[in-house]
Every structure is written in structure tokens, then in C-alpha cells.
Amino acid sequence: MTWGDTKKAATKTEPAKTGFGKEYYRGLFENNTAQSVPVRMALVAKENCAKSGLAIDLARQVRPKGKIYIIDVDNSAKATIDAVYPKDKDIIVLPLLDERDESIYNEDSTINYACLIDKANFYVNILADKAKEGEDIAAIVFDGGSTFLKWCEHAMTTILLRKGVIKEEGDSFNQKEWRTRNQSFREVMTRLHGLAVPSVFFTFHLKDVSNYVDNGNGGKVLMKIGERPEWEKGTMRLFSQQIFLSRYMRKADAAAGVKADPKLKDEEWVIKATLEEIKGKHMEHVGETHEVLSVKKGEVKWSGLPFLNWK
């Protein structure tokens, strides 16, 4: 079967696993203990808020040495790594949407999103094998969780064709089949979460929530009423730590996701991190907000979050 060959994929059946009975699980029960995986963190923000940079910085606070693999969904991590960590050869960026990869394109050169999801699963499986084989993996960063959720949505038609739920690409499907998107997303997130690696980071976009409200003249206007992470409902239960980042300038710019801080001067801006949730170690910092990066008088200063250390 070739990549993207949905007709052959639809007829494929997976053999049932055998040999996992009472004695197998008794052995696991008697000998298996919970592994120490201190960091399972979500970094949530609008664009250009140092999500990737903070993930790498925190990863190196946990493990100064060892490989860091970045699964780059948004194709934005490489620029950050080249600028900030040019000498760290143990940081490896793995782009998913890669122009050189023929496996993720249809014959007409359009993107096959189902194959992109397959590729992500293959990469996660390879990382799992590397961890089992003893490779020193300090951290994994899944950079672009919100974009990946959109890819899962785009892949729904092809996946439903594979399963035989629909017969032709233009066929409609039941509302309940949206679970296909959610299952595809959860499979990758959950598998990454369970890897035997000290730190796994996930980055997500922060999405505006809007609704119609009274304008005072008897009419309705669409207004922003809040923000929420752009992830599948229930995703937050995977994370032991959640950090929300925001960019600040002297004057707010709602369109750019910039908040106001009147203490700043013109041409100055900072990025602040709010610790929304931490389970276990460092939970005393929940609710705190700290400046992680500043640009003042043309100079960039990185402060990070040095007190978050799981060594």
C-alpha cells in the first residue's frame, strides 16, 4: 500500500493481539512501578510569546544534558533554536510538514492530512523505541498542538474513507463522526504523555472567545468576552503543569494579542508567564506571574523561570 492509498487502506484489517492473559498482567502487577516523569507541561499563548524558547529552557533546567527532540508542527521552532541555542547540537528539530517528504502529498501535490497524522504517530513510535533502547532523551517538545488539532479535522474525510464509513470523498457523515478528529488528536497526545522521558512539553495557541452582546441601542455587537486554549476538550487533564504566556507593551493591541502595562516605556515590551496549574513540586507558585523576557533599550534579556527545577 502506498501513502494516501485510501482504497487499499479501507480493506486492511488488524490482527488481534494474543498472548496477553492473566499471568502476563500478574507479572506487570507484581513488578511494574510508576516511573518518574516530573514534567508534562502545556505552554499556552498567542503568537510570538516565547513558548518554544521557554520549553527548551525548562527542559535544560531538568536535564542539562541529553537529546531534546522537537516535533515541529508549525514549522517555527527551527528559527528559535538557531537564534537562541546555536551551539546545542543535542536539540533536534523534526518538521512534520516537510516539502522534501513525498509521503505527505497527494498526486496533485495537495497535502494529505491523514498521512501527516500517520507520520506524527510514526515519529512518536520511533521516539518510544529510542527511549526503550536506552537513548538519553532529556525532553520532547510537541510544538503546535492547536495546528495539529486542525490537521486532525482536515484528515477526517480520508480516515472515514479508510474505515469504510463513507464511500466517496464528497459524502456527508453523521455528527458523531467528529469523534474521529478527537480520537486522532488524543492518540498522539496520550502516547507522548506516556513516554518514559523526564519532560514532555506541548504548546498551544490561545483563542479569543466572542459573543453577541447588547450595544446599548437595542442592537447586538460581536465582542470578545474571553480567551481559551485551542485544544480538544479534556486535553488539560494530561498536563501536570499549565503555563499561560502574554506579551505586554505600554499600550494594548487587542488585534495582536498584546496587553497593556503602563509601567513600560514606548518601544519596550515584555513577556510574562502565569502559572495556572502545577501538580506536586512547585505547587506553591500557582497563580504567580513572572517576567520571562524583556526588550528594553534595544537589548533582549531572558529571565526564564529558574525556580521551576525538577532535578
Side-chain angles (χ1 to χ4, degrees):
M1 181 185 72
T2 60
W3 285 86
D5 191 341
T6 56
K7 290 185 178 179
K8 291 184 179 179
T11 61
K12 181 180 178 181
T13 57
E14 294 291 338
K17 289 186 177 181
T18 59
F20 299 101
K22 180 179 179 180
E23 293 306 316
Y24 171 81
Y25 288 108
R26 179 177 291 278
L28 286 181
F29 182 89
E30 298 294 345
N31 300 305
N32 200 15
T33 56
Q35 58 193 6
S36 177
V37 285
V39 181
R40 293 294 183 268
M41 182 181 293
L43 297 163
V44 185
K46 298 279 191 177
E47 295 291 343
N48 301 316
C49 285
K51 298 186 292 294
S52 306
L54 183 58
I56 300 300
D57 192 55
L58 290 171
R60 282 294 181 233
Q61 287 177 195
V62 179
R63 290 282 302 281
K65 300 294 183 181
K67 295 281 184 66
I68 297 177
Y69 287 97
I70 303 175
I71 300 178
D72 190 6
V73 181
D74 286 328
N75 280 354
S76 59
K78 183 63 174 170
T80 299
I81 301 307
D82 288 346
V84 183
Y85 300 96
K87 296 181 179 180
D88 194 334
K89 303 305 179 185
D90 283 332
I91 300 177
I92 299 168
V93 180
L94 303 169
L96 289 181
L97 186 55
D98 187 348
E99 287 289 336
R100 301 164 297 178
D101 180 6
E102 296 180 1
S103 73
I104 59 174
Y105 293 97
N106 297 311
E107 292 182 1
D108 61 357
S109 297
T110 56
I111 298 170
N112 188 318
Y113 287 97
C115 290
L116 269 175
I117 307 306
D118 292 341
K119 182 178 179 179
N121 278 292
F122 275 119
Y123 275 15
V124 174
N125 288 337
I126 291 168
L127 289 170
D129 289 341
K130 285 180 174 290
K132 288 178 182 177
E133 292 162 2
E135 182 171 312
D136 184 15
I137 302 178
I140 297 169
V141 181
F142 193 81
D143 195 9
S146 300
T147 300
F148 188 72
L149 179 62
K150 182 60 68 173
W151 287 2
C152 292
E153 180 179 330
H154 294 332
M156 285 175 58
T157 298
T158 303
I159 294 173
L160 293 175
L161 280 168
R162 288 180 181 179
K163 293 179 177 180
V165 175
I166 58 177
K167 302 301 181 184
E168 301 291 341
E169 191 168 316
D171 289 353
S172 60
F173 49 84
N174 196 293
Q175 182 69 22
K176 69 179 182 181
E177 298 304 337
W178 275 89
R179 62 189 174 185
T180 300
R181 180 202 69 163
N182 300 339
Q183 288 169 349
S184 299
F185 179 76
R186 286 191 200 127
E187 282 173 6
V188 173
M189 298 293 108
T190 304
R191 187 77 198 282
L192 281 167
H193 178 276
L195 293 182
V197 174
S199 303
V200 182
F201 299 87
F202 306 80
T203 72
F204 294 93
H205 294 146
L206 198 59
K207 181 180 180 180
D208 290 341
V209 177
S210 301
N211 201 356
Y212 286 96
V213 298
D214 292 330
N215 63 3
N217 297 317
K220 298 281 187 179
V221 293
L222 187 64
M223 290 186 61
K224 175 182 173 181
I225 59 173
E227 297 174 329
R228 68 173 180 83
E230 196 171 357
W231 56 31
E232 191 269 323
K233 185 179 179 182
T235 305
M236 70 289 292
R237 289 192 287 270
L238 291 172
F239 311 125
S240 300
Q241 303 89 16
Q242 295 180 34
I243 296 179
F244 285 55
L245 298 111
S246 298
R247 187 153 54 104
Y248 290 80
M249 299 181 73
R250 184 177 180 84
K251 295 181 180 179
D253 183 349
V258 176
K259 298 181 179 180
D261 185 344
K263 291 181 289 185
L264 293 171
K265 298 178 182 179
D266 292 336
E267 309 302 325
E268 293 182 346
W269 58 274
V270 301
I271 293 175
K272 299 179 183 181
T274 299
L275 284 64
E276 292 287 349
E277 180 175 337
I278 298 180
K279 299 175 183 176
K281 190 175 182 181
H282 302 309
M283 64 186 301
E284 67 274 14
H285 296 292
V286 170
E288 295 179 359
T289 299
H290 298 269
E291 187 176 294
V292 297
L293 181 147
S294 64
V295 177
K296 297 179 180 179
K297 296 181 179 179
E299 294 185 2
V300 179
K301 179 184 177 183
W302 177 263
S303 303
L305 299 171
F307 56 89
L308 293 183
N309 194 316
W310 286 270
K311 285 184 180 179

